[in-house]
Amino acid sequence: MADQNEHGLKAVLQDYWKAYGGLKAVTHSPYFWLSVVLLVLTAHFWLTSPWWEQVLSVMPNVLGFTLGGFAIFLGFGDERFKELISGQEEGEDGPSPYMEVSATFLHFVLIQLTTLLMAIVVKATSFDPPGHWKICLAPLATLRFMADMLGYWLFLYGLCITAAAAIAIFRVSSWYDALQSVNRQNSGSDKQ
């Protein structure tokens, strides 16, 4: 049973990654590059301060926004609208608009959860070791630098892609609005 669940999880994550657009979508995103610039600009903070405290105070609220937005998206529109934006026509290869927007939200959630978990682990391992341990742990200083950098970058990236989630909701709203305009035009021409 566990093996079947693991295979199922792997398939879901592969579907998400494909619908999201993979590594190319991440590295070609303006949010990715904005987060890199912000990481450089804030280097003094994450190098010298307990950055995880900021993450642990901000990210749960952002995660709540994301899950709320995802729930709104899943419940948005009528059945006809959902039918129009989901599924593939014969011969189509890429993900449907429904899956693209869902992948955007899943990406957002996964980044936020990873950020939270990383902040928890870094906070838990941030202590001044006893004197005799310092010599043994000295080589781990580089690892700590990398963890601080990665953790704070994930936080900044998670904040930057908040805009992507909001834009995804707006995009769906505009599709629904366009469909309703067409429906009104069609119903007006039917009355004539």
Side-chain angles (χ1 to χ4, degrees):
M1 178 90 162
D3 188 43
Q4 190 177 27
N5 288 339
E6 288 174 20
H7 177 69
L9 176 62
K10 183 179 178 183
V12 167
L13 291 175
Q14 286 173 336
D15 290 345
Y16 136 71
W17 192 239
K18 182 180 177 186
Y20 188 74
L23 187 59
K24 182 177 180 181
V26 172
T27 59
H28 285 76
S29 163
Y31 311 111
F32 174 85
W33 292 107
L34 177 59
S35 66
V36 170
V37 168
L38 290 172
L39 181 69
V40 171
L41 292 175
T42 59
H44 179 73
F45 176 73
W46 56 266
L47 283 169
T48 61
S49 300
W51 59 268
W52 51 87
E53 298 295 345
Q54 186 179 41
V55 172
L56 294 172
S57 68
V58 172
M59 199 51 72
N61 295 322
V62 177
L63 183 57
F65 162 78
T66 305
L67 293 173
F70 202 8
I72 289 169
F73 166 68
L74 292 174
F76 192 80
D78 56 22
E79 289 306 312
R80 173 151 164 66
F81 174 68
K82 289 177 185 176
E83 183 180 313
L84 285 171
I85 67 169
S86 61
Q88 295 174 317
E89 298 292 329
E90 191 173 318
E92 284 184 335
D93 188 27
S96 69
Y98 188 83
M99 290 305 293
E100 286 177 355
V101 174
S102 292
T104 298
F105 276 100
L106 181 55
H107 182 70
F108 195 24
V109 168
L110 292 175
I111 292 296
Q112 291 169 358
L113 287 174
T114 303
T115 303
L116 278 171
L117 291 172
M118 187 145 193
I120 290 167
V121 169
V122 171
K123 180 179 180 174
T125 59
S126 294
F127 61 91
D128 194 23
H132 60 281
W133 285 22
K134 287 183 182 184
I135 295 169
C136 298
L137 297 177
L140 297 178
T142 302
L143 182 61
R144 176 56 193 262
F145 167 80
M146 297 300 290
D148 287 342
M149 183 175 66
L150 179 61
Y152 204 69
W153 173 76
L154 283 169
F155 172 62
L156 294 170
Y157 180 58
L159 291 178
C160 290
I161 61 176
T162 303
I167 289 168
I169 292 172
F170 182 78
R171 184 181 311 132
V172 172
S173 299
S174 68
W175 295 337
Y176 188 71
D177 188 64
L179 176 64
Q180 293 306 316
S181 295
V182 168
N183 288 344
R184 283 195 183 104
Q185 290 170 355
N186 289 343
S187 99
S189 64
D190 289 344
K191 292 179 183 177
Q192 294 177 351

